[in-house]
């Protein structure tokens, strides 16, 4: 029925020595003075040095991206870009640094306030070259046309969606994530798992996104616990880097749904890390979704050899149980109560979540504000 489009970064470079491609990418894009956009965690761990050692051009570094950054940080970084007469953006970091960098590359050449660009297709062009190197596995931001930034005014996460945010080159190497703290490995790894699951059950899924999502799910379930248990395990890191990229391709095209929609207000209001808020909502939203996508959840359960009943509902419920335990093993606290949220706050959270129509419309079960309140209460 109809047609579907498939978007990605223009070029994807993967593997343990992928970083070596950076020199070639810089030459091909005729970059002379890139602005490196990164954050303190990546700098202090020394991981940034692996990139700096390769550069044979003059560069500047903006290293103050905050986790779950605010919309306003884009303008701060654009000012820095111009002050240093940069001619390209090179992002090195997790989703936070990548999202700021994507917006800077697309907006440094345009007039207007960052808030004018919140929403879908509000950006009209991008002339500034953009190379991204993720250091978490991950958000998949290296291949999506989305940047998600915190809006402190409205206490929400806001999405800027535009094909001009798609990078020219994404270099995805496992050596960049070895220094990730365990809690970041866990949270960003579960985020990738949620991307794959939500893409697979999205009403906009296609055969292409299905293949990517299922492979990503299998890889994450096998290798995320290993990367968490032994951060230096380069095979686990590589599988996770590839899996989060695949999950990014899947959700960047099929979309994510109610797990993300219900996670947004938690990130916006309580500053919860994106992966943690998603992990908290995952089993509860999926339990609610079973009615709308039992067959698809059952397929995932069978793929993971969790259950092989002839009843799709039964298999789907086994998957939900498994995901609870999976997140617990990664030491992600199960329950909103552990994050300073009061039960009385739930109606306000639901009132915010119902506004995330951009994502709720992809969900296999339609949710009312009362349904959302009920899900938050179960997750409390
Ligand atoms: N654009 C998209 O498609 C997309 C998708 C999902 C999430 N996001 C956004 O991405 C952000 C979350 O990104 P994230 O989960 O990658 O985490 P992050 O970028 O916020 O980083 C989390 C912490 O880990 C540290 N860190 C990252 N990599 C490190 C490394 N290799 N070594 C040492 N420390 C390291 C950072 O310094 C930071 O303190 C959120 O704002 C979320 O909304 C975007
Ligand atoms: Fe996400």
């Amino acid at each position: 029925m109809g047609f579907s489009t498939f978007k990605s970064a223009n070029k994807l470079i993967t593997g343990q020595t992928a970083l070596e491609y950076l020199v070639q990418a810089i030459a091909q894009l005729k970059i002379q003075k890139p602005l490196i956009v990164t954050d303190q965690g990546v700098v202090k761990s020394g991981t940034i040095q692996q990139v700096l050692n390769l550069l044979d051009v003059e560069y500047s570094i903006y290293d103050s991206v905050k986790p779950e950054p605010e919309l306003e940080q884009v303008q701060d970084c654009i000012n820095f870009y111009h002050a240093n007469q940069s001619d390209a953006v090179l992002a090195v970091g997790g989703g936070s640094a990548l999202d700021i960098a994507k917006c800077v590359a697309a907006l440094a050449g345009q007039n207007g306030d960052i808030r004018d660009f919140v929403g879908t297709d509000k950006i009209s062009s991008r002339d500034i070259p953009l190379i991204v190197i993720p250091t978490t596995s991950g958000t998949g931001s290296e291949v999506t046309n989305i940047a998600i930034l915190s809006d402190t005014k409205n206490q929400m996460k806001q999405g800027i969606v535009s094909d001009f945010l798609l990078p020219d080159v994404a270099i995805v190497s496992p050596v960049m994530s070895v220094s990730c703290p365990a809690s970041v490995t866990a949270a960003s790894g579960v985020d990738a798992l949620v991307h794959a699951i939500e893409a697979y059950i999205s009403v906009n899924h296609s055969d292409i996104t299905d293949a990517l999502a299922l492979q990503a799910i299998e890889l994450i379930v096998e290798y995320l616990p290993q990367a968490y248990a032994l951060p230096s395990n380069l095979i686990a890191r590589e599988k996770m880097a590839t899996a989060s990229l695949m999950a990014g391709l899947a959700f960047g095209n099929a979309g994510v749904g109610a797990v993300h929609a219900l996670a947004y207000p938690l990130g916006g209001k309580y500053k919860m890390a994106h992966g943690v808020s998603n992990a908290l909502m995952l089993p509860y939203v999926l339990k609610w979704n079973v009615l709308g996508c039992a067959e698809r959840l059952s397929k995932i359960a069978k793929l993971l050899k969790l259950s092989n009943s002839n009843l799709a509902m039964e298999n789907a419920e086994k998957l939900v149980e498994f995901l609870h335990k999976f997140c617990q093993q990664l030491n992600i606290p199960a329950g909103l109560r552990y994050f300073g949220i009061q039960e009385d706050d739930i109606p306000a959270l639901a009132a915010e979540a119902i506004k995330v129509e951009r994502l709720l419309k992809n969900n296999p079960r339609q949710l009312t504000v009362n349904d959302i309140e009920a899900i938050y209460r179960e997750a409390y």
Side-chain angles (χ1 to χ4, degrees):
M1 274 204 308
F3 65 88
S4 57
T5 53
F6 191 84
K7 300 160 191 172
S8 167
N10 194 30
K11 217 178 254 186
L12 307 180
I13 318 296
T14 56
Q16 288 194 11
T17 61
L19 269 190
E20 289 171 14
Y21 188 84
L22 180 59
V23 179
Q24 202 174 322
I26 286 177
Q28 278 171 357
L29 292 165
K30 301 189 170 46
I31 296 171
Q32 289 178 337
K33 196 172 178 216
L35 174 65
I36 298 171
V37 177
T38 186
D39 71 24
Q40 282 301 306
V42 178
V43 170
K44 285 187 182 147
S45 63
T47 295
I48 192 73
Q49 207 53 46
Q50 305 194 58
V51 172
L52 302 184
N53 289 346
L54 288 168
L55 293 179
D56 55 4
V57 290
E58 206 187 324
Y59 58 82
S60 320
I61 304 186
Y62 180 89
D63 62 5
S64 46
V65 175
K66 299 274 181 305
E68 315 287 313
E70 294 171 13
L71 285 163
E72 286 68 26
Q73 185 146 38
V74 174
Q75 190 57 52
D76 189 51
C77 191
I78 287 177
N79 296 344
F80 194 88
Y81 178 92
H82 289 308
N84 287 280
Q85 293 166 328
S86 312
D87 67 356
V89 175
L90 169 55
V92 185
S96 297
L98 263 53
D99 284 2
I100 291 287
K102 284 160 68 173
C103 292
V104 170
L107 301 178
Q110 318 231 355
N111 294 322
D113 184 85
I114 177 71
R115 284 171 194 276
D116 302 339
F117 300 99
V118 168
T120 302
D121 289 336
K122 302 274 177 70
I123 301 175
S124 56
S125 63
R126 171 169 68 80
D127 302 322
I128 296 170
L130 172 63
I131 301 175
V132 297
I133 305 179
T135 63
T136 58
S137 301
T139 64
S141 176
E142 64 273 18
V143 287
T144 67
N145 65 347
I146 308 160
I148 307 170
L149 300 168
S150 301
D151 180 353
T152 40
K153 262 193 215 157
N154 299 312
Q155 299 196 319
M156 261 305 262
K157 299 282 287 189
Q158 301 280 12
I160 299 177
V161 184
S162 161
D163 291 352
F164 296 110
L165 296 179
L166 288 164
D168 296 303
V169 182
I171 299 179
V172 183
S173 164
V175 300
M176 299 306 286
S177 59
V178 167
S179 58
C180 264
S183 60
V184 174
T185 299
S188 58
V190 173
D191 184 28
L193 181 60
V194 178
H195 293 159
I197 295 174
E198 290 216 283
Y200 189 65
I201 60 174
S202 163
V203 297
N204 294 318
H205 73 91
S206 70
D207 289 339
I208 300 174
T209 57
D210 283 354
L212 289 160
L214 288 179
Q215 178 71 6
I217 291 168
E218 222 178 351
L219 287 173
I220 295 166
V221 167
E222 182 169 355
Y223 290 101
L224 174 55
Q226 294 186 39
Y228 181 76
L230 187 64
S232 61
N233 180 339
L234 214 53
I235 292 174
R237 291 291 190 186
E238 181 166 0
K239 297 290 184 188
M240 279 305 298
T242 309
S244 69
L245 180 145
M246 295 171 90
L249 289 170
F251 98 83
N253 291 286
V256 284
V259 179
H260 272 75
L262 271 65
Y264 272 15
L266 301 175
K269 206 161 177 203
Y270 301 95
K271 309 277 171 244
M272 219 181 267
H274 177 79
V276 172
S277 55
N278 272 289
L280 278 174
M281 298 318 303
L282 175 67
Y284 299 99
V285 173
L286 284 191
K287 191 173 143 205
W288 201 268
N289 275 350
V290 167
L291 273 187
C293 58
E295 284 296 337
R296 290 208 147 233
L297 293 176
S298 165
K299 266 202 181 147
I300 298 175
K302 285 183 177 172
L303 176 78
L304 298 176
K305 301 191 178 56
L306 300 173
S307 170
N308 201 13
S309 161
N310 291 328
L311 297 173
M313 287 275 186
E314 237 172 72
N315 294 330
E317 280 158 16
K318 281 274 176 341
L319 174 67
V320 173
E321 268 171 46
F322 167 78
L323 291 170
H324 256 298
K325 284 197 201 120
F326 188 77
C327 294
Q328 264 170 22
Q329 279 172 341
L330 297 169
N331 279 322
I332 300 176
L336 300 180
R337 68 183 70 229
Y338 301 109
F339 293 87
I341 299 170
Q342 306 301 316
E343 232 176 331
D344 292 351
D345 298 341
I346 288 178
L349 284 172
E352 284 306 317
I354 194 80
K355 292 183 196 159
V356 193
E357 284 166 30
R358 179 174 73 82
L359 306 184
L360 289 174
K361 70 177 170 33
N362 301 326
N363 201 57
R365 181 171 178 182
Q366 199 176 9
L367 299 180
T368 64
V369 73
N370 289 338
D371 297 337
I372 294 176
E373 248 194 76
I375 299 172
Y376 279 131
R377 287 195 195 285
E378 283 182 31
Y380 191 73

